[in-house]
Amino acid sequence: MSKINVGILAIQGDVTENFLATMASMSELGIDGSVTQVKTVEQISKLDGLIIPGGESTMIGQMSLVNGALKTIKEKIESGMPVFGICAGMIFLSKNSKDRVVGETKQPLLDILDVKIERNSFGRQKDSFEAQISMDPIGISSFNGVFIRAPSISETGSDVEILAKFNEKIVAVKQGNVIATAFHPELTRDISLHKSFVKLVDNQS
């Protein structure tokens, strides 16, 4: 098996937490690989898998546009590279994003994940919460979801698999080589979701 290289898009957000969860996942699975923090086109072009962490999605989009990374990320994903979008990362991957309060947003999006997103779907920062959810389609029966200014998915395309719902709102999906969650798995001790992503990268490489 070849060594895999997973990158964490290091513009802002929970970069360190995702780095540690991915390292631990590779270790537990016995998969030979490296985890790197990436920003530039050159770094992104060498990846076998990419995690786009939570944070401020508009900021991620604007900064990715500046250095040309947006185009490279899109090309890599379209050619089969697995990607894991978390909270803001899920918004960034989507085709359509609308804020529950302010309506349409003009932020740059990757236009890959065939979903409609409602930003701040559960309220603002003070409305952050944790909840047990299940992602049975990928073999995770119970997971502690940490929701921070979380979005949700209001509509999905026909090839999008719903992995989890909370209060009837869609909070995790999979579409081919793309996994996306509205919650922050890197803020728990449970690395089962990161392990699932690392397996996907390993199988593709």
Side-chain angles (χ1 to χ4, degrees):
M1 294 293 288
S2 59
K3 186 173 177 177
I4 63 170
N5 181 14
V6 175
I8 317 292
L9 190 62
I11 291 169
Q12 45 92 78
D14 300 324
V15 176
T16 303
E17 293 87 345
N18 276 292
F19 181 89
L20 294 171
T22 308
M23 290 286 288
S25 297
M26 286 181 180
S27 178
E28 271 195 28
L29 292 166
I31 289 172
D32 188 18
S34 60
V35 186
T36 51
Q37 297 185 19
V38 298
K39 283 184 184 174
T40 67
V41 169
E42 186 185 15
Q43 291 169 327
I44 292 162
S45 64
K46 295 173 181 170
L47 297 178
D48 301 303
L50 176 68
I51 295 175
I52 305 175
E56 175 48 60
S57 60
T58 315
M59 176 90 164
I60 296 171
Q62 296 290 2
M63 292 191 71
S64 295
L65 273 178
V66 169
N67 71 7
L70 193 71
K71 183 170 179 280
T72 308
I73 292 169
K74 188 174 169 73
E75 286 170 354
K76 289 279 287 182
I77 298 168
E78 286 175 342
S79 66
M81 178 185 74
V83 62
F84 182 9
I86 298 167
C87 192
M90 179 173 86
I91 297 170
F92 188 39
L93 284 164
S94 72
K95 288 181 177 288
N96 185 298
S97 169
K98 189 174 182 179
D99 191 282
R100 191 169 63 97
V101 179
V102 301
E104 290 292 339
T105 58
K106 295 290 182 216
Q107 68 189 88
L109 301 171
L110 281 167
D111 194 30
I112 283 173
L113 188 60
D114 190 10
V115 297
K116 277 191 178 173
I117 302 261
E118 181 183 77
R119 289 175 48 141
N120 298 307
S121 186
F122 301 94
R124 299 293 182 179
Q125 195 81 25
K126 64 181 173 52
D127 302 308
S128 302
F129 62 95
E130 296 184 25
Q132 286 299 315
I133 54 173
S134 64
M135 290 175 282
D136 292 324
I138 53 172
I140 300 171
S141 58
S142 180
F143 195 92
N144 184 42
V146 178
F147 292 81
I148 303 169
R149 287 184 60 198
S152 71
I153 291 172
S154 55
E155 289 180 37
T156 61
S158 57
D159 57 346
V160 176
E161 181 181 18
I162 295 169
L163 299 182
K165 286 185 176 183
F166 175 71
N167 283 358
E168 295 309 303
K169 292 187 175 187
I170 300 166
V171 294
V173 294
K174 184 173 186 292
Q175 179 184 334
N177 54 325
V178 177
I179 296 174
T181 64
F183 50 89
H184 289 261
E186 78 284 0
L187 298 181
T188 71
R189 293 180 179 275
D190 187 343
I191 60 169
S192 54
L193 197 46
H194 280 79
K195 280 167 71 175
S196 185
F197 178 67
V198 167
K199 279 189 216 166
L200 183 64
V201 177
D202 192 46
N203 290 336
Q204 294 278 78
S205 61

